[in-house]
Amino acid sequence: MASLPCIPLLAAIGLSLAGCADKPANLGISGEPGFYKKMTASSARVDAVAARDMISIYRRNHGAQPVSIDPALQQAAQEQASAMAKADNMSHEVRGTLQSRLNGRLDHGAAVENISAGYHTLAEAFSGWRDSPAHNKNMLNPAMRRMGIATAYAPGSKYQVYWALVMTD
């Protein structure tokens, strides 16, 4: 049986070691995790690493492989989010179909896209996609291996923040 005087000593050691730990990489200057960062500024950029980690953990919890960030998909997602913001229209086809937008740009077989608008943080967008059967199916699609995610801010538009997540095999 452990003696009770050891508990304060263990707590003190734990607190002293906690002060030596590095901050996680996705903490900004404010100390706010990337998935809670507000996207309501023209200079705001979604934390793609935090998004990849969040989606990959979710996929692993459901038996799917993690995804990696693909620069070409990042660009495709940014173009889609920007086009929706400019048109003030949340639509998969504001710039043509996903297949037409990706063909000739990168090697892929299957591709899926989640879009949304009005969510101000990555956590909100992820929760919305997770709670939508069609979007959730896309995020958990076992064939998907690469991703790109982006936002665009349009302060005078109906939704203000437009999101695009593009995933391919």
Side-chain angles (χ1 to χ4, degrees), residues 73-160:
L73 293 176
Q74 281 292 117
Q75 182 178 348
Q78 187 62 64
E79 289 169 0
Q80 179 65 12
S82 296
M84 291 188 301
K86 183 177 179 182
D88 194 7
N89 182 13
M90 185 184 68
S91 168
H92 287 282
E93 297 186 359
V94 72
R95 295 178 40 248
T97 66
L98 175 62
Q99 289 302 326
S100 69
R101 288 183 271 128
L102 295 181
N103 284 345
R105 291 181 60 168
L106 64 142
D107 184 30
H108 73 284
V112 296
E113 177 179 63
N114 285 357
I115 60 168
S116 59
Y119 296 119
H120 290 186
T121 68
L122 172 58
E124 291 171 357
F126 174 80
S127 292
W129 290 332
R130 187 191 60 215
D131 293 341
S132 161
H135 292 107
N136 191 54
K137 183 179 176 182
N138 285 345
M139 287 195 303
L140 295 176
N141 185 322
M144 300 302 112
R145 296 284 185 262
R146 300 175 292 163
M147 64 162 275
I149 188 167
T151 62
Y153 177 59
S157 69
K158 179 178 180 179
Y159 298 107
Q160 293 187 345

